[in-house]
Amino acid sequence: KILKCVIVTPEKFATLFKDNPAVYVPRVERLVSSRKVITTSWVDGIKLKDPEELRANSLDPTALIRTGVTSAIQQLLEFGYFHADPHPGNMFGRKGRTGDLGHLAYVDFGMMDSISDQDRITLTKAIVHLINSDFTELAYDFKKLGFLSKNKDPSTISPALKEVLGGAL
């Protein structure tokens, strides 16, 4: 229910992170882009695939992970608009730091999506319920998000959620 990938350009994504120096979004080169191919400006950086290569280039993998996690949470919970293919090949570590955040560049904007405000709020509540170990309410959140059948009582799966997710934090 949450993911429904669509092809878009990175401009909206760039606008959302315009005041965040830790997140870089390359500029779209309109003259050499088309409806099916998005060409962006060059990104100076190191793909996140190899931590040793990052360290060899004076980049801190932990700081880059912190930026990736922070920006992913911000995309889902604050903006409601997100990069739906954020694997290490689609992100580059860049020189520089902002506090404890490494500088990260996103590329490949072929899969982007948004979630409704209602789902965004429910997802936020689900995270709070997980943090508070309230697995019954978490089950109801999962039902609201469409992860569980509308015909089933969500409270019946709360023991399973506790067993699977109880130690996750």
Side-chain angles (χ1 to χ4, degrees):
K1 181 180 175 183
I2 291 179
L3 287 177
K4 182 194 78 190
C5 297
V6 294
I7 297 174
V8 298
T9 62
E11 278 110 348
K12 180 175 181 177
F13 194 77
T15 300
L16 295 171
F17 284 104
K18 70 179 172 26
D19 295 325
N20 185 342
V23 176
Y24 176 77
V25 180
R27 181 184 69 255
V28 174
E29 299 293 345
R30 289 274 171 209
L31 292 176
V32 288
S33 293
S34 69
R35 201 167 160 257
K36 293 185 179 188
V37 176
I38 299 170
T39 305
T40 63
S41 58
W42 181 260
V43 174
D44 283 321
I46 306 296
K47 283 195 178 188
L48 300 186
K49 292 181 176 185
D50 184 1
E52 292 309 315
E53 185 178 1
L54 293 169
R55 286 186 194 95
N57 285 278
S58 302
L59 298 174
D60 179 2
T62 301
L64 293 167
I65 290 168
R66 188 175 294 114
T67 303
V69 170
T70 302
S71 65
I73 290 170
Q74 193 173 19
Q75 290 170 54
L76 279 174
L77 303 183
E78 183 180 343
F79 304 147
Y81 184 76
F82 57 96
H83 192 297
D85 193 21
H87 60 79
N90 284 344
M91 294 184 279
F92 288 81
R94 301 184 73 215
K95 299 281 184 201
R97 281 180 78 127
T98 301
D100 62 352
L101 298 175
H103 285 196
L104 186 68
Y106 282 88
V107 298
D108 189 353
F109 296 89
M111 291 196 310
M112 302 290 296
D113 204 359
S114 59
I115 61 174
S116 70
D117 285 343
Q118 180 180 347
D119 284 350
R120 188 172 50 81
I121 290 166
T122 302
L123 188 56
T124 303
K125 288 179 181 179
I127 292 169
V128 170
H129 292 140
L130 177 60
I131 290 168
N132 291 329
S133 298
D134 189 343
F135 298 103
T136 300
E137 286 301 316
L138 181 61
Y140 280 95
D141 295 332
F142 282 5
K143 182 176 180 176
K144 287 179 193 170
L145 290 167
F147 299 156
L148 303 174
S149 170
K150 292 181 180 185
N151 302 328
K152 300 285 183 183
D153 178 7
S155 65
T156 61
I157 71 149
S158 60
L161 288 174
K162 182 177 182 176
E163 184 176 329
V164 172
L165 299 173
L169 294 177

